[in-house]
Amino acid sequence: MFRFFVLLFCLCIGFSSYARMNKVNNELLADLKELSSAKMQGRKTGSSGSHKAAQYIIDRYTDIKLKSLTTEYRQTFDYKSGFWSIKKGENIVGVLLSDNPNANYIAITAHYDHLGHSGSKIYYGADDNASGVAAMINIAKNLKTQNLKHHYIFIATDAEETGLYGAKAFLNSNLIDTTKIVLNINLDMLAVAPRQKQLYAFSSKTMKPYKALIEQKNNTTMTQFISSNRKMNIKLKTQKVDWRNASDHAIFRKHHIPFIYFCVGTHKYYHTTKDKFENISPKYYVASVKHIYQTILSLDTIQL
Ligand SMILES: [Zn+2]
């Protein structure tokens, strides 16, 4: 009889952690789906769709109870577009503080802007980059339950597609002492599985000692460390893309801040109207976000 109760107890514990995991995974996919839905109209900087996406991220930060450094997490900024015109962008910035007031910062970035729409043709940007933003929200929620050695700052950047302006505006601001940022983790395109199921961790040379810690593998996904001292180009149709400058981590790199850029590389849906929720790989995405979270937890224990 005792054995029966032990078995029953184990089954109940197993089921409740399974149920919790399922809930978290469902939330992750629901965030991605909502951010890439038709009502967000492709999230072009300054558009009404972009404002809806910003509000959605604010609501999620509020649920998680991230600290705000501004009014409603909003960091608005101006940027030059062409010769004459000045445009407005808006980063959404939330903070999770360690109990140690002298801790350094890990900055997690994911751009939420995309290409917008042309008439009724919507560039949904499910992989690019609703996937990175949903992952960042999921990671923030999970980190909130941990005893952390670093402070964390989560920056949903705007105006990335037009020139990494959100990341520039954040690093030129005084929202926090940016000299205390010891690592940038940039999430941009995580949800369309490459053929070999790789998740690339394109990293600054300074992260080389942590290669073994960053590389993880299971049946669904395989994180592969690539150091930026190899000049890495990936083929994109006929052009080649320099990964070092491909997304917001490039600005952290210019400020000599170590970085890890997690991404799937490019694929046939990239910057097309087919980059939509129906074309992502949910199982691969969930497994990849879990790898990234576990990497962050391991790095958190290290004096970076
Ligand atoms: Zn992107």
Side-chain angles (χ1 to χ4, degrees), residues 138-161:
N138 177 274
I139 288 165
K141 185 168 180 170
N142 284 321
L143 284 176
K144 179 88 187 184
T145 65
Q146 302 292 320
N147 231 328
L148 299 167
K149 288 215 167 77
H150 291 83
H151 299 315
Y152 285 80
I153 186 154
F154 302 92
I155 311 143
T157 57
D158 196 4
E160 187 270 358
E161 299 283 10

Side-chain angles (χ1 to χ4, degrees), residues 94-109:
V95 168
L96 193 54
L97 291 176
S98 161
D99 289 339
N100 172 9
N102 300 318
N104 286 321
Y105 278 90
I106 293 179
I108 303 189
T109 46

Side-chain angles (χ1 to χ4, degrees), residues 188-218:
D188 190 358
M189 296 172 65
L190 304 172
V192 174
R195 213 169 284 153
Q196 307 296 329
K197 312 256 187 251
Q198 305 97 323
L199 171 70
Y200 298 106
F202 183 67
S203 308
S204 52
K205 279 182 270 184
T206 43
M207 296 310 287
K208 256 186 167 174
Y210 312 114
K211 179 176 189 282
L213 179 156
I214 292 165
E215 291 197 324
Q216 298 181 52
K217 195 176 176 179
N218 63 26

